[in-house]
């Protein structure tokens, strides 16, 4: 029955969150901020008791006798609540539950699994101070704190009252119950993506950490074939980073420029087609360039090891054509580097016509004065040529960023190995939850 209901759902890619923590840890306040930002429906005790099923009476009886709601009753209530349209469309956030291991396992038996589980933690003394300073406005139901969040209106100050059961003895009893059960709860929900948040911080900092966590995709254990595109102006270090990725992960390193040269040198059919245009100093049509690339990407090594591509696409049209051909990347990185740095990197590059060795006058100077005298500069490395390349790249980069919505930017104005560490950290992490971010 659970699988049938799952397949009938219109959209399974919605947030499913549990926010767990001791009393006065701020889980309700943070959940409300998440709701305000993203529209994810907050489910707390009051919301559960509005469900129109017979188990509500039993749940109310348990709460009135100061007992935990039995697991199966809680599971039935939550299952009924999340089946409503608001939760099915916008996702749900269960606040304050489960409170025991029995409740956690019962929710799983009812087919309720959270994609993200947030544990709010703070020292007991901090929680007691927060709890004892809480006040409620009986007219509006607004919650205030005498120290941390006092009401601004003098009229509200006069009518606020202590919350129900506001005593240190009552809170210590609740904290004891929480500490006795929390390890069992963690063990029961450990298969989900969990995060422990230090709640002894300003509310804005806690919210920022919680929301950042909720925007992260759960890590998949399924095998993934890397399909990486490195974008950036000439001199930003694409070749260096591609070589480092190849050395560590074994992906196939593909340069579009080198691929075209190789196809022409091999006198292949597509190479001969491209050489006709190149000999006449004409632009090679996009469909011929794509055909050359697809032939390489379809090889067995690319299909099994993955690939890192640089020098393509250079326009949104080319990016769309690559995706339509069935070779959409799963990672796109834009290497960002100031023009001054690029000019310095390229204009001071030299090559030895005798040995073919490449040098840089600052970072990798030639070993002897004799060798330095015979070094040559490639015409493409002249400062004017570099400026033209950067302008050409800048004219296309914005539309490529708009097309690759999950692309990520990397500061390439650093040591190559530092840049590689940044790329590697992004490569090994799941992409951010775009659906959640889109609601901002």
């Amino acid at each position: 029955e659970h699988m049938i209901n799952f397949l009938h759902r219109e959209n399974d890619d919605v947030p499913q969150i549990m926010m767990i923590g001791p009393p006065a840890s701020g889980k309700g306040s943070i959940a409300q901020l998440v709701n305000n930002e993203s529209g994810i429906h907050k489910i707390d005790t009051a919301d559960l008791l509005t469900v129109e099923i017979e188990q509500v009476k039993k749940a109310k009886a348990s709460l009135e006798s100061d007992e935990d709601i039995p697991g199966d009753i809680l599971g039935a209530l939550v299952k009924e609540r999340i089946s409503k349209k608001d939760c099915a469309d916008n996702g749900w956030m269960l606040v304050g539950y489960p409170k025991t291991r029995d409740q956690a396992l019962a929710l799983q038996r009812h087919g309720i699994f959270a994609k993200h589980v947030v544990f709010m933690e703070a020292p007991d003394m901090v929680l007691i101070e927060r709890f004892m300073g809480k006040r409620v406005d009986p007219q509006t139901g607004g919650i205030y704190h005498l120290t941390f969040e006092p009401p601004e209106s003098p009229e509200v100050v006069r009518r606020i009252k202590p919350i129900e059961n506001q005593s240190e003895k009552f809170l210590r009893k609740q904290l004891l119950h929480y500490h006795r059960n929390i390890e069992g709860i963690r063990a029961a929900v450990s298969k989900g993506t969990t995060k422990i948040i230090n709640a002894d911080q300003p509310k804005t900092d806690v919210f920022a950490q919680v929301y950042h966590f909720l925007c992260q995709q759960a890590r998949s254990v399924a095998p993934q074939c890397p399909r990486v595109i490195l974008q950036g102006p000439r001199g930003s270090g694409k070749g260096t980073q591609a070589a480092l990725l190849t050395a560590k992960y074994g992906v196939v390193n593909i340069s579009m420029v080198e691929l075209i040269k190789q196809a022409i040198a091999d006198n292949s059919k597509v190479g001969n087609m491209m050489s006709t245009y190149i000999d006449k100093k004409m632009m090679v049509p996009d469909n011929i360039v794509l055909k050359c690339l697809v032939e390489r990407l379809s090889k067995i090594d690319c299909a099994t090891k993955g690939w890192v591509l640089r020098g393509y696409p250079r326009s949104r049209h080319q990016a769309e054509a690559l995706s339509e051909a069935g070779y959409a990347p799963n990672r796109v990185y834009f290497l960002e580097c100031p023009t001054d740095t690029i000019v310095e990197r390229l204009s001071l590059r030299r090559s030895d016509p005798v040995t073919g060795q490449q040098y840089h006058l600052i970072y990798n100077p030639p070993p002897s004065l004799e060798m330095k005298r015979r070094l040559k500069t490639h015409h493409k490395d002249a400062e004017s040529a570099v400026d033209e390349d950067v302008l050409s790249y800048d004219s296309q980069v914005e539309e490529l960023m708009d097309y690759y919505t999950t692309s990520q930017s990397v500061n390439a104005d650093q040591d190559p190995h530092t840049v590689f560490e940044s790329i590697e950290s992004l490569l090994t992490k799941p992409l951010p939850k775009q659906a959640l971010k889109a609601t901002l």
Side-chain angles (χ1 to χ4, degrees), residues 229-232 238 254-257 260 289 293 309-315 318:
I229 287 179
L230 295 180
Q231 287 285 350
K238 299 188 297 296
I254 300 175
S255 165
M256 195 66 239
V257 173
I260 291 173
V289 175
L293 178 58
L309 173 63
R310 51 199 167 91
Y312 189 94
R314 296 189 176 183
S315 67
Q318 290 181 349

Side-chain angles (χ1 to χ4, degrees), residues 147-166:
T147 304
F148 306 119
E149 200 172 350
E152 297 180 359
S153 169
E155 182 180 349
V156 176
V157 171
R158 286 192 292 270
R159 68 172 183 247
I160 57 174
K161 297 181 179 179
I163 61 174
E164 186 180 357
N165 295 322
Q166 191 173 38

Side-chain angles (χ1 to χ4, degrees), residues 264 270-280 284:
I264 294 173
V270 69
N272 291 332
M273 294 170 65
M274 290 189 292
S275 64
T276 302
Y277 291 92
I278 293 173
D279 292 342
K280 297 179 181 179
V284 181

Side-chain angles (χ1 to χ4, degrees), residues 153-421:
S153 169
E155 182 180 349
V156 176
V157 171
R158 286 192 292 270
R159 68 172 183 247
I160 57 174
K161 297 181 179 179
I163 61 174
E164 186 180 357
N165 295 322
Q166 191 173 38
S167 68
E168 186 172 333
K169 181 180 178 181
F170 173 81
L171 180 61
R172 288 191 180 277
K173 180 182 177 181
Q174 297 291 314
L175 290 174
L176 180 61
H177 177 275
Y178 174 80
H179 292 312
R180 283 175 174 171
N181 288 278
I182 187 59
E183 293 305 323
I185 296 171
R186 283 181 180 155
V189 301
S190 61
K191 292 184 180 179
T193 303
T194 62
K195 179 75 171 180
I196 298 175
I197 301 291
N198 176 17
D200 186 16
Q201 304 178 77
K203 186 189 295 186
T204 53
D205 293 343
V206 176
F207 169 69
Q209 293 176 38
V210 170
Y211 201 72
H212 176 73
F213 168 64
L214 298 181
C215 289
Q216 295 178 354
Q217 292 264 35
R219 189 183 296 276
S220 172
V221 295
Q224 183 183 37
C225 186
R227 302 190 301 273
V228 182
I229 287 179
L230 295 180
Q231 287 285 350
R234 191 166 65 92
S236 59
K238 299 188 297 296
T240 301
Q241 298 307 317
L244 290 171
L245 286 170
T246 298
K248 182 160 186 178
Y249 294 100
V251 295
V252 180
N253 186 355
I254 300 175
S255 165
M256 195 66 239
V257 173
E258 294 173 6
L259 193 62
I260 291 173
K261 290 179 179 178
Q262 188 63 48
I264 294 173
D266 292 342
N267 286 321
S268 65
K269 182 177 178 181
V270 69
N272 291 332
M273 294 170 65
M274 290 189 292
S275 64
T276 302
Y277 291 92
I278 293 173
D279 292 342
K280 297 179 181 179
K281 296 183 178 180
M282 299 172 60
M283 291 289 293
V284 181
D286 285 349
N287 62 319
I288 299 178
V289 175
L290 179 63
K291 185 175 181 181
C292 176
L293 178 58
V294 167
E295 284 184 3
R296 182 66 187 91
L297 296 179
S298 62
K299 301 286 187 182
I300 188 66
D301 57 348
C302 289
T304 56
K305 298 178 181 179
W307 43 265
V308 53
L309 173 63
R310 51 199 167 91
Y312 189 94
R314 296 189 176 183
S315 67
R316 184 186 180 103
H317 174 73
Q318 290 181 349
E320 292 172 346
L322 182 62
S323 298
E324 290 171 1
Y327 295 95
N330 48 33
R331 291 291 191 278
V332 179
Y333 302 112
F334 286 88
L335 305 186
E336 298 184 345
C337 196
T339 303
D340 291 345
T341 301
I342 293 173
V343 170
E344 181 184 274
R345 289 178 179 179
L346 297 181
S347 64
L348 298 180
R349 244 178 6 184
R350 300 291 187 270
S351 61
D352 186 346
V354 176
T355 65
Q357 186 70 36
Q358 293 276 348
Y359 296 96
H360 191 279
L361 297 183
I362 296 177
Y363 306 119
N364 183 29
S368 67
L369 183 61
E370 180 186 355
M371 185 178 291
K372 183 177 181 180
R373 286 173 179 154
R374 70 174 185 243
L375 296 181
K376 301 293 182 182
T377 304
H378 195 284
H379 67 90
K380 288 187 176 180
D381 290 342
E383 187 170 340
S384 58
V386 175
D387 287 336
E388 288 182 10
D389 288 343
V390 172
L391 287 174
S392 175
Y393 172 78
D394 289 343
S395 67
Q396 302 285 353
V397 65
E398 189 172 339
E399 64 179 26
L400 286 171
M401 284 185 169
D402 288 342
Y403 180 72
Y404 289 121
T405 56
T406 59
S407 64
Q408 294 166 299
S409 297
V410 177
N411 177 17
D413 188 17
Q414 306 177 83
D415 175 83
H417 291 283
T418 303
V419 177
F420 177 69
E421 288 175 1

Side-chain angles (χ1 to χ4, degrees), residues 19-36 42-44 93-96 120 130 134 143 203:
M19 196 164 292
I20 302 168
S25 59
K27 54 187 179 293
S29 300
I30 299 300
Q32 188 59 52
L33 289 175
V34 173
N35 170 265
N36 294 341
K42 183 180 79 168
I43 302 175
D44 54 16
M93 179 169 38
L94 185 59
V95 182
M120 308 276 287
R130 288 183 181 179
K134 273 188 176 182
I143 300 294
K203 186 189 295 186

